[in-house]
Amino acid sequence: MLYAENPVCRLRGLRSVTLGTPDPSISKDFYTEVWGLSAVDEDTDRFWLRGTGEEHHILKLESAPRNAMGGVTFAVDTPRDVDDAARSLEALGIPLLREPGVHDEASGGYSLALVDPEGRAVELSANVHAVVNHEPAGRRALPRKLAHVVLNTVDIDRATDFYTQVLGMRVSDWSEHQMAFLRCNSEHHVIAFNQAPWTSINHVAYEMPSIDHFMRGIGNLKVHGIEPQWGPGRHGPGDNTFSYFTDPGQLVCEYTSEVIQVDEDAWMCRTWKRTPELSDQWRTAGPPTTTVRSAMAGIEDSGFRHLVEPAREDYFLSGASLSGVS
Ligand SMILES: [Fe+2]
């Protein structure tokens, strides 16, 4: 589907994700006391957590009736890029949840939020508050930043069209016609779409600085009595290591490391077969547990579509009509 002739902006990277869950304070305790993030700010039922890298926060937890993705935030270079994007989005009939402006939340900055065809909020932000990189000198297993977010989609082709045409992302690889891995910088993927019966969040991956930190992180969780639900292993597409866990709210979190860095001029997109040896090159992971499979399927999430009015009638996708699930 043609959404746009030209992208509305140039994304510099993935900054953060917002997750809604019924009891965010229990999840916050898990992410700060076990997973390796640090709290930077909080109010009544919202928590902003950072990694050791230079983003103000990489995870925002907020209260929601059921698990949901509250939004995903990408960096653009300047406030002017945000304004230019807003004008282009308006011309394309793509709805805005929030007009461009100074954002009064914890990280500050100048941003807008658009709503994608499955109701997800996508924030474009510049000039957020700087924080000092606080990577520890030793080998403590602390995530540095977000590596990627995987999103379940009812229409993988239309999701991919939207994020490539409108947001300028590039497809790095396909996993048959089941998953699409998209990049916006040299990282092999910062977003991946997974074809599914309904729209939901599949998982959020956190980058460990090295494979040693990755293994130490898994060990640290084991010490806390938390076993991997799938992993450790090494994926084919992206070549990154993986180990998946479920948080106290049954949202899936992943430690990863060593994702491929793409040379933009030389990269050839390929379609991977979904075989056990390409799903896990090491053959150490075994099958995912039924718990993590069900958590990855997530809960149907209509997002913010009820809050906005797109200019085009056919803009929003309906999971129910495509899947027969109501
Ligand atoms: Fe992942």
Side-chain angles (χ1 to χ4, degrees):
M1 172 158 183
L2 185 64
Y3 284 103
E5 300 277 359
N6 296 298
V8 304
C9 60
R10 185 189 160 91
L11 302 179
R12 214 178 56 202
L14 174 63
R15 284 195 199 280
S16 65
V17 65
T18 299
L19 299 177
T21 191
D23 192 343
S25 121
I26 289 186
S27 299
K28 187 265 290 184
D29 290 346
F30 165 78
Y31 283 107
T32 54
E33 291 168 17
V34 182
W35 192 249
L37 305 185
S38 313
V40 276
D41 207 344
E42 67 176 76
D43 62 19
T44 329
D45 54 6
R46 297 186 298 174
F47 303 93
W48 288 264
L49 311 178
R50 67 170 289 184
T52 60
E54 288 166 1
E55 287 297 340
H56 172 273
H57 66 275
I58 60 175
L59 174 63
K60 176 183 162 191
L61 295 164
E62 62 185 14
S63 177
R66 54 191 168 274
N67 288 349
M69 193 183 83
V72 59
T73 302
F74 294 100
V76 296
D77 281 328
T78 64
R80 184 173 175 170
D81 293 330
V82 176
D83 288 335
D84 289 348
R87 272 192 292 277
S88 303
L89 289 163
E90 189 187 5
L92 293 167
I94 294 168
L96 292 189
L97 188 62
R98 203 175 68 243
E99 297 286 333
V102 174
H103 200 27
D104 58 4
E105 269 201 8
S107 55
Y110 190 88
S111 60
L112 65 75
L114 63 95
V115 179
D116 85 2
E118 286 176 88
R120 304 180 193 94
V122 177
E123 186 180 46
L124 309 177
S125 78
N127 285 9
V128 298
H129 295 325
V131 293
V132 177
N133 177 318
H134 70 173
E135 210 147 288
R139 297 162 104 184
R140 272 184 70 203
L142 304 176
R144 179 190 281 161
K145 61 174 184 154
L146 281 192
H148 59 262
V149 178
V150 175
L151 302 167
N152 293 322
T153 174
V154 295
D155 190 330
I156 196 166
D157 294 314
R158 282 181 68 171
T160 302
D161 287 347
F162 185 87
Y163 280 75
T164 53
Q165 294 170 19
V166 177
L167 296 174
M169 302 186 88
R170 280 85 69 202
V171 180
S172 293
D173 281 313
W174 288 86
S175 174
E176 297 185 356
H177 196 219
Q178 180 62 44
M179 291 188 76
F181 298 86
L182 275 62
R183 70 181 183 279
C184 67
N185 52 30
S186 63
E187 316 263 328
H188 176 271
H189 59 285
V190 292
I191 289 278
F193 287 103
N194 178 53
Q195 178 67 47
W198 56 77
T199 303
S200 57
I201 176 105
N202 184 294
H203 70 268
V204 177
Y206 298 81
E207 185 194 273
M208 288 301 204
S210 71
I211 200 162
D212 184 67
H213 292 85
F214 167 81
M215 290 305 293
R216 286 169 188 268
I218 296 168
N220 178 52
L221 264 79
K222 280 178 177 267
V223 167
H224 283 86
I226 301 167
E227 294 291 326
Q229 303 266 359
W230 186 28
R234 188 185 277 277
H235 284 311
D239 200 36
N240 52 308
T241 66
F242 67 88
S243 194
Y244 295 87
F245 301 85
T246 45
D247 76 11
Q250 293 306 297
L251 287 158
V252 179
C253 44
E254 175 191 359
Y255 282 149
T256 187
S257 65
E258 300 192 335
V259 71
I260 286 180
Q261 298 298 302
V262 165
D263 174 353
E264 204 61 53
D265 293 329
W267 185 258
M268 302 274 280
C269 174
R270 62 179 273 200
T271 301
W272 293 72
K273 286 245 174 292
R274 294 178 69 79
T275 59
E277 65 274 18
L278 295 178
S279 171
D280 173 21
Q281 302 178 67
W282 287 344
R283 307 304 297 268
T284 52
T289 63
T290 50
T291 301
V292 82
R293 277 181 185 277
S294 144
M296 283 175 161
I299 299 167
E300 185 164 6
D301 184 356
S302 62
F304 298 89
R305 62 182 81 193
H306 61 289
L307 296 178
V308 294
E309 196 90 25
R312 281 155 43 165
E313 261 179 29
D314 63 347
Y315 182 73
F316 285 125
L317 297 176
S318 160
S321 66
L322 286 167
S323 66
V325 176
S326 58

Short mmCIF file of all heavy atoms in Angstrom, two decimals, residues 51-89:
data_model
loop_
_atom_site.label_atom_id
_atom_site.label_comp_id
_atom_site.label_asym_id
_atom_site.label_seq_id
_atom_site.Cartn_x
_atom_site.Cartn_y
_atom_site.Cartn_z
N GLY A 51 18.85 2.78 31.18
CA GLY A 51 19.96 1.83 31.10
C GLY A 51 21.24 2.59 31.42
O GLY A 51 21.20 3.72 31.93
N THR A 52 22.38 2.00 31.08
CA THR A 52 23.64 2.69 31.39
C THR A 52 24.05 3.67 30.29
O THR A 52 25.01 4.41 30.46
CB THR A 52 24.78 1.68 31.59
OG1 THR A 52 24.93 0.94 30.38
CG2 THR A 52 24.49 0.75 32.75
N GLY A 53 23.35 3.65 29.16
CA GLY A 53 23.70 4.51 28.03
C GLY A 53 23.20 5.93 28.20
O GLY A 53 22.89 6.36 29.32
N GLU A 54 23.11 6.65 27.10
CA GLU A 54 22.90 8.09 27.18
C GLU A 54 21.45 8.54 27.01
O GLU A 54 21.21 9.74 26.93
CB GLU A 54 23.80 8.78 26.14
CG GLU A 54 25.26 8.72 26.57
CD GLU A 54 26.23 9.08 25.47
OE1 GLU A 54 25.76 9.40 24.36
OE2 GLU A 54 27.44 9.02 25.73
N GLU A 55 20.53 7.62 26.96
CA GLU A 55 19.12 8.03 26.90
C GLU A 55 18.60 8.34 28.31
O GLU A 55 18.90 7.61 29.26
CB GLU A 55 18.26 6.92 26.28
CG GLU A 55 18.44 6.74 24.80
CD GLU A 55 18.03 7.96 23.98
OE1 GLU A 55 17.27 8.81 24.48
OE2 GLU A 55 18.51 8.07 22.84
N HIS A 56 17.79 9.38 28.40
CA HIS A 56 17.20 9.75 29.69
C HIS A 56 16.48 8.57 30.33
O HIS A 56 16.61 8.29 31.51
CB HIS A 56 16.22 10.92 29.48
CG HIS A 56 15.43 11.25 30.71
ND1 HIS A 56 14.23 10.61 31.01
CD2 HIS A 56 15.67 12.09 31.74
CE1 HIS A 56 13.78 11.08 32.17
NE2 HIS A 56 14.62 11.98 32.61
N HIS A 57 15.68 7.86 29.53
CA HIS A 57 15.06 6.61 29.99
C HIS A 57 14.86 5.72 28.78
O HIS A 57 14.81 6.21 27.64
CB HIS A 57 13.73 6.87 30.71
CG HIS A 57 12.65 7.42 29.84
ND1 HIS A 57 12.50 8.75 29.56
CD2 HIS A 57 11.66 6.80 29.15
CE1 HIS A 57 11.47 8.93 28.75
NE2 HIS A 57 10.94 7.76 28.49
N ILE A 58 14.79 4.43 29.03
CA ILE A 58 14.54 3.50 27.92
C ILE A 58 13.22 2.75 28.12
O ILE A 58 12.68 2.19 27.19
CB ILE A 58 15.71 2.51 27.71
CG1 ILE A 58 15.97 1.66 28.96
CG2 ILE A 58 16.98 3.27 27.32
CD1 ILE A 58 17.04 0.58 28.74
N LEU A 59 12.73 2.77 29.34
CA LEU A 59 11.46 2.10 29.64
C LEU A 59 10.63 3.00 30.54
O LEU A 59 11.12 3.49 31.57
CB LEU A 59 11.71 0.76 30.36
CG LEU A 59 10.48 0.02 30.86
CD1 LEU A 59 9.55 -0.38 29.73
CD2 LEU A 59 10.90 -1.23 31.66
N LYS A 60 9.38 3.23 30.11
CA LYS A 60 8.42 3.92 30.97
C LYS A 60 7.32 2.92 31.27
O LYS A 60 6.75 2.31 30.35
CB LYS A 60 7.86 5.15 30.25
CG LYS A 60 6.78 5.89 31.02
CD LYS A 60 6.24 7.05 30.18
CE LYS A 60 4.91 7.53 30.69
NZ LYS A 60 4.28 8.46 29.74
N LEU A 61 7.03 2.74 32.55
CA LEU A 61 5.94 1.85 32.97
C LEU A 61 4.80 2.71 33.46
O LEU A 61 5.01 3.68 34.20
CB LEU A 61 6.42 0.95 34.10
CG LEU A 61 7.53 -0.05 33.76
CD1 LEU A 61 8.17 -0.60 35.03
CD2 LEU A 61 6.97 -1.19 32.91
N GLU A 62 3.59 2.36 33.03
CA GLU A 62 2.43 3.13 33.49
C GLU A 62 1.27 2.18 33.76
O GLU A 62 1.24 1.06 33.27
CB GLU A 62 2.05 4.21 32.48
CG GLU A 62 1.64 3.68 31.13
CD GLU A 62 1.38 4.78 30.11
OE1 GLU A 62 1.77 5.94 30.34
OE2 GLU A 62 0.80 4.46 29.05
N SER A 63 0.32 2.69 34.52
CA SER A 63 -0.83 1.87 34.89
C SER A 63 -1.79 1.74 33.71
O SER A 63 -2.07 2.72 33.02
CB SER A 63 -1.53 2.53 36.07
OG SER A 63 -2.67 1.81 36.40
N ALA A 64 -2.29 0.53 33.47
CA ALA A 64 -3.27 0.29 32.40
C ALA A 64 -4.16 -0.87 32.84
O ALA A 64 -3.72 -1.72 33.62
CB ALA A 64 -2.56 -0.05 31.10
N PRO A 65 -5.40 -0.90 32.34
CA PRO A 65 -6.31 -1.99 32.75
C PRO A 65 -5.76 -3.36 32.39
O PRO A 65 -6.00 -4.35 33.09
CB PRO A 65 -7.59 -1.71 31.97
CG PRO A 65 -7.46 -0.34 31.41
CD PRO A 65 -6.01 0.02 31.40
N ARG A 66 -5.05 -3.45 31.28
CA ARG A 66 -4.39 -4.71 30.90
C ARG A 66 -3.11 -4.35 30.15
O ARG A 66 -2.93 -3.20 29.76
CB ARG A 66 -5.31 -5.58 30.05
CG ARG A 66 -5.86 -4.90 28.84
CD ARG A 66 -6.97 -5.70 28.17
NE ARG A 66 -7.65 -4.86 27.20
CZ ARG A 66 -8.66 -4.05 27.49
NH1 ARG A 66 -9.15 -4.01 28.71
NH2 ARG A 66 -9.20 -3.30 26.56
N ASN A 67 -2.26 -5.36 29.94
CA ASN A 67 -1.00 -5.10 29.27
C ASN A 67 -1.21 -4.44 27.92
O ASN A 67 -2.06 -4.87 27.14
CB ASN A 67 -0.23 -6.41 29.07
CG ASN A 67 0.33 -6.94 30.38
OD1 ASN A 67 0.31 -6.24 31.39
ND2 ASN A 67 0.81 -8.17 30.35
N ALA A 68 -0.42 -3.41 27.65
CA ALA A 68 -0.57 -2.67 26.40
C ALA A 68 0.72 -1.92 26.10
O ALA A 68 1.50 -1.64 27.02
CB ALA A 68 -1.72 -1.67 26.52
N MET A 69 0.92 -1.62 24.82
CA MET A 69 2.04 -0.77 24.48
C MET A 69 1.57 0.67 24.49
O MET A 69 0.72 1.06 23.70
CB MET A 69 2.64 -1.11 23.13
CG MET A 69 3.99 -0.42 22.98
SD MET A 69 4.79 -0.67 21.41
CE MET A 69 3.99 0.60 20.45
N GLY A 70 2.12 1.46 25.39
CA GLY A 70 1.74 2.87 25.48
C GLY A 70 2.39 3.71 24.40
O GLY A 70 1.97 4.83 24.15
N GLY A 71 3.42 3.18 23.75
CA GLY A 71 4.06 3.94 22.67
C GLY A 71 5.52 3.58 22.54
O GLY A 71 6.11 2.94 23.41
N VAL A 72 6.06 4.01 21.40
CA VAL A 72 7.48 3.79 21.15
C VAL A 72 8.05 5.14 20.69
O VAL A 72 7.37 5.89 19.98
CB VAL A 72 7.68 2.66 20.11
CG1 VAL A 72 7.01 2.95 18.80
CG2 VAL A 72 9.13 2.31 19.91
N THR A 73 9.25 5.46 21.16
CA THR A 73 9.83 6.78 20.89
C THR A 73 11.12 6.65 20.09
O THR A 73 12.02 5.88 20.46
CB THR A 73 10.14 7.51 22.21
OG1 THR A 73 8.93 7.64 22.94
CG2 THR A 73 10.72 8.90 21.95
N PHE A 74 11.18 7.42 19.00
CA PHE A 74 12.38 7.47 18.17
C PHE A 74 13.00 8.85 18.26
O PHE A 74 12.29 9.86 18.42
CB PHE A 74 12.03 7.20 16.70
CG PHE A 74 11.55 5.81 16.44
CD1 PHE A 74 10.19 5.54 16.31
CD2 PHE A 74 12.45 4.76 16.32
CE1 PHE A 74 9.74 4.25 16.07
CE2 PHE A 74 12.01 3.46 16.09
CZ PHE A 74 10.65 3.21 15.95
N ALA A 75 14.32 8.90 18.09
CA ALA A 75 15.04 10.17 18.08
C ALA A 75 15.08 10.73 16.66
O ALA A 75 15.31 9.99 15.70
CB ALA A 75 16.46 9.94 18.58
N VAL A 76 14.81 12.03 16.56
CA VAL A 76 15.14 12.78 15.33
C VAL A 76 16.14 13.86 15.73
O VAL A 76 16.36 14.09 16.93
CB VAL A 76 13.89 13.38 14.65
CG1 VAL A 76 12.96 12.27 14.17
CG2 VAL A 76 13.15 14.33 15.57
N ASP A 77 16.75 14.51 14.74
CA ASP A 77 17.87 15.39 15.08
C ASP A 77 17.48 16.68 15.79
O ASP A 77 18.11 17.07 16.77
CB ASP A 77 18.67 15.74 13.80
CG ASP A 77 19.58 14.59 13.40
OD1 ASP A 77 20.05 13.88 14.32
OD2 ASP A 77 19.81 14.40 12.20
N THR A 78 16.47 17.37 15.27
CA THR A 78 16.20 18.73 15.77
C THR A 78 14.70 18.97 15.91
O THR A 78 13.89 18.29 15.27
CB THR A 78 16.75 19.79 14.78
OG1 THR A 78 16.01 19.66 13.55
CG2 THR A 78 18.23 19.62 14.52
N PRO A 79 14.31 19.98 16.71
CA PRO A 79 12.90 20.36 16.78
C PRO A 79 12.33 20.70 15.41
O PRO A 79 11.16 20.42 15.13
CB PRO A 79 12.93 21.60 17.69
CG PRO A 79 14.10 21.38 18.58
CD PRO A 79 15.14 20.71 17.69
N ARG A 80 13.14 21.26 14.56
CA ARG A 80 12.66 21.58 13.22
C ARG A 80 12.25 20.30 12.46
O ARG A 80 11.28 20.32 11.69
CB ARG A 80 13.76 22.33 12.45
CG ARG A 80 13.27 22.74 11.11
CD ARG A 80 14.22 23.60 10.37
NE ARG A 80 13.64 23.82 9.05
CZ ARG A 80 14.10 24.66 8.18
NH1 ARG A 80 15.13 25.40 8.49
NH2 ARG A 80 13.54 24.77 7.01
N ASP A 81 12.98 19.23 12.68
CA ASP A 81 12.60 17.95 12.06
C ASP A 81 11.23 17.49 12.55
O ASP A 81 10.45 16.89 11.80
CB ASP A 81 13.63 16.86 12.37
CG ASP A 81 14.97 17.15 11.69
OD1 ASP A 81 14.97 17.77 10.63
OD2 ASP A 81 16.01 16.74 12.26
N VAL A 82 10.95 17.76 13.84
CA VAL A 82 9.65 17.40 14.40
C VAL A 82 8.55 18.23 13.71
O VAL A 82 7.52 17.70 13.30
CB VAL A 82 9.63 17.62 15.94
CG1 VAL A 82 8.24 17.35 16.51
CG2 VAL A 82 10.68 16.75 16.62
N ASP A 83 8.79 19.52 13.59
CA ASP A 83 7.81 20.40 12.93
C ASP A 83 7.59 20.01 11.47
O ASP A 83 6.47 19.99 10.98
CB ASP A 83 8.27 21.87 13.00
CG ASP A 83 8.14 22.43 14.41
OD1 ASP A 83 7.30 21.93 15.18
OD2 ASP A 83 8.89 23.37 14.74
N ASP A 84 8.69 19.74 10.78
CA ASP A 84 8.58 19.35 9.36
C ASP A 84 7.79 18.04 9.24
O ASP A 84 6.94 17.89 8.34
CB ASP A 84 9.97 19.15 8.74
CG ASP A 84 10.70 20.48 8.56
OD1 ASP A 84 10.05 21.54 8.69
OD2 ASP A 84 11.92 20.44 8.30
N ALA A 85 8.06 17.11 10.16
CA ALA A 85 7.35 15.83 10.13
C ALA A 85 5.85 16.06 10.35
O ALA A 85 5.01 15.43 9.68
CB ALA A 85 7.90 14.89 11.20
N ALA A 86 5.51 16.97 11.26
CA ALA A 86 4.09 17.23 11.54
C ALA A 86 3.37 17.74 10.30
O ALA A 86 2.25 17.30 10.00
CB ALA A 86 3.97 18.24 12.68
N ARG A 87 4.01 18.64 9.58
CA ARG A 87 3.39 19.16 8.35
C ARG A 87 3.19 18.05 7.33
O ARG A 87 2.14 17.94 6.70
CB ARG A 87 4.26 20.28 7.76
CG ARG A 87 3.92 21.66 8.31
CD ARG A 87 4.59 22.76 7.50
NE ARG A 87 6.03 22.73 7.65
CZ ARG A 87 6.67 23.30 8.68
NH1 ARG A 87 6.00 23.94 9.60
NH2 ARG A 87 7.98 23.22 8.76
N SER A 88 4.20 17.21 7.17
CA SER A 88 4.09 16.12 6.19
C SER A 88 3.03 15.11 6.60
O SER A 88 2.27 14.60 5.77
CB SER A 88 5.43 15.41 6.02
OG SER A 88 6.43 16.32 5.65
N LEU A 89 2.97 14.81 7.90
CA LEU A 89 1.98 13.85 8.38
C LEU A 89 0.57 14.37 8.15
O LEU A 89 -0.33 13.63 7.73
CB LEU A 89 2.20 13.58 9.88
CG LEU A 89 3.45 12.77 10.22
CD1 LEU A 89 3.81 12.90 11.70
CD2 LEU A 89 3.28 11.29 9.85
#
